[in-house]
Amino acid sequence: MQARHDLFLRRKLGFASVAAVAAACLFITAPSHAADKFPSKAVRIVVPSPPGGSNDQMARLLALRLQERWGQPVVVEYKGGGGQTIGTDFVAKSPADGHTIGLVVTSHVINPALRKLPYDTLNDFSGVTLIGFTPILITTAGNAPFNNLADVLAHAKAHPGDITYATPGAGSSMHFAGDFLAKSAGVEFRHIPFRGGGQQGQEVMTGRVTLNIGTLGTSYPFVKSGHLKAIAITDPKRSPAAPEIPAVAETLPGFSVQSFIGFVVPKGTPRDVIQNIRNDVVATLKVPEVVANLTSGGFEVVGGTPEEFDRFIAEQVPRWAGIAKRTGITAE
């Protein structure tokens, strides 16, 4: 009889313990849903280049709108250097909670072919969205003797090494565009890299550098003002934002170099947080004022899914490795 009583007590206590543990779990987990609400604090968008270029403009444009949508500060932080690897490495090593977002451009998929990186491009990040593509424009000084690409190439053939071109940095898509153009045409250009896109245009306007290779959005206003002269766009076809400017492919068939912009977060960021960020970024890209700002610079909005951006990155890394091998381009 006593044994049965003891067994009953043990069972009763066991059930009570289970209930107590379950209650404790509910007590612990229930409030966490509110704590997990994103964003729960300030969000930073890390731009891996100095202020002043198209990356900066895009980041500030989106940060302002996302701050209004989220009700939390959204701060743009500039961490330039190392061919955009310093800022990207900072993102890779940040807490995986969505409050640090990295802006990446084409150099993100070029760098694995050129540098020993402190992070793994394919495994240390999760894609948020491919924001879109921006045309690359080749310009020269407004008073330069060149009126089109044929003029530039003819001079390069007659005076090897005389043509110089400025870009926002070694290993950038603009660097690739200039080197790829020279090799495709069988001429020689000299690369003059700058830290970001702000200074390079000024050097070309003064004539110290022959060509400027930058984004359409940053260069086109200077073309309109007459300070720069448009030579060609490196996209496979003309941009609707500047249909009067020919594509390089019209002179060198098949030529194409495009520049993209996207958002990534550290690997391990919860998928629901990634999806929330993506949805809000895409909603922001549809705001009429934002649309007008982007289309005026020839920007082509994509706003794809996180999974699509991950696949895009995985496809682009080997593609650019192949281009680097064929052209022999290096990180200067």
Side-chain angles (χ1 to χ4, degrees):
M1 187 74 172
Q2 182 63 42
R4 277 197 302 240
H5 182 261
D6 290 345
L7 178 60
F8 172 77
L9 284 177
R10 284 198 299 273
R11 286 178 176 172
K12 186 174 182 180
L13 287 172
F15 293 144
S17 298
V18 171
V21 169
C25 289
L26 288 173
F27 178 79
I28 292 170
T29 58
S32 69
H33 293 293
D36 288 344
K37 184 178 181 300
F38 177 86
S40 60
K41 58 182 180 181
V43 176
R44 56 186 167 189
I45 297 176
V46 177
V47 177
S49 56
S54 58
N55 299 346
D56 174 28
Q57 295 171 9
M58 174 64 74
R60 286 187 287 110
L61 177 67
L62 293 178
L64 178 63
R65 295 290 179 169
L66 290 172
Q67 181 169 286
E68 295 171 353
R69 182 175 293 271
W70 288 338
Q72 293 283 0
V74 179
V75 182
V76 178
E77 292 188 7
Y78 305 97
K79 297 185 182 295
Q84 304 204 357
T85 63
I86 292 175
T88 306
D89 185 47
F90 178 85
V91 174
K93 294 175 172 57
S94 294
D97 58 8
H99 291 89
T100 299
I101 302 170
L103 184 147
V104 294
V105 295
T106 312
S107 59
H108 184 62
V109 294
I110 295 174
N111 276 326
L114 304 181
R115 296 178 167 89
K116 182 175 176 58
L117 300 174
Y119 53 82
D120 187 320
T121 301
L122 297 178
N123 295 311
D124 287 348
F125 306 93
S126 290
V128 175
T129 184
L130 171 59
I131 298 172
F133 296 93
T134 184
I136 297 174
L137 176 60
I138 303 172
T139 57
T140 190
N143 60 357
F146 313 114
N147 294 312
N148 50 51
L149 183 58
D151 289 346
V152 172
L153 298 180
H155 183 90
K157 287 177 181 177
H159 306 277
D162 193 47
I163 296 290
T164 55
Y165 70 99
T167 74
S172 64
S173 56
M174 292 76 175
H175 179 194
F176 261 71
D179 199 72
F180 196 22
L181 172 60
K183 285 183 169 58
S184 298
V187 298
E188 182 185 343
F189 290 167
R190 287 189 294 124
H191 180 218
I192 312 295
F194 290 87
R195 292 188 72 245
Q199 185 186 1
Q200 65 186 79
Q202 297 295 328
E203 294 298 299
V204 175
M205 290 178 206
T206 62
R208 285 189 286 267
V209 182
T210 315
L211 302 175
N212 176 46
I213 305 183
T215 63
L216 178 69
T218 55
S219 299
Y220 197 43
F222 296 103
V223 172
K224 290 181 178 178
S225 69
H227 290 91
L228 290 175
K229 186 187 300 182
I231 296 297
I233 283 178
T234 69
D235 278 22
K237 59 183 180 180
R238 299 190 183 203
S239 169
E244 76 280 9
I245 303 175
V248 172
E250 295 175 36
T251 301
L252 299 172
F255 186 94
S256 173
V257 177
Q258 289 183 292
S259 181
F260 74 81
I261 296 180
F263 277 158
V264 298
V265 290
K267 194 75 171 181
T269 301
R271 296 305 298 179
D272 59 335
V273 171
I274 294 174
Q275 191 63 50
N276 287 344
I277 297 172
R278 180 265 173 187
N279 291 345
D280 288 336
V281 169
V282 170
T284 299
L285 292 171
K286 295 178 181 178
V287 174
E289 293 84 356
V290 175
V291 171
N293 186 297
L294 296 177
T295 54
S296 67
F299 193 84
E300 177 190 345
V301 176
V302 175
T305 67
E307 294 76 18
E308 287 170 340
F309 194 30
D310 282 334
R311 285 196 296 272
F312 177 81
I313 296 295
E315 292 167 356
Q316 291 296 306
V317 168
R319 174 179 179 265
W320 284 99
I323 293 175
K325 186 176 181 179
R326 290 197 303 274
T327 62
I329 195 170
T330 60
E332 300 166 358

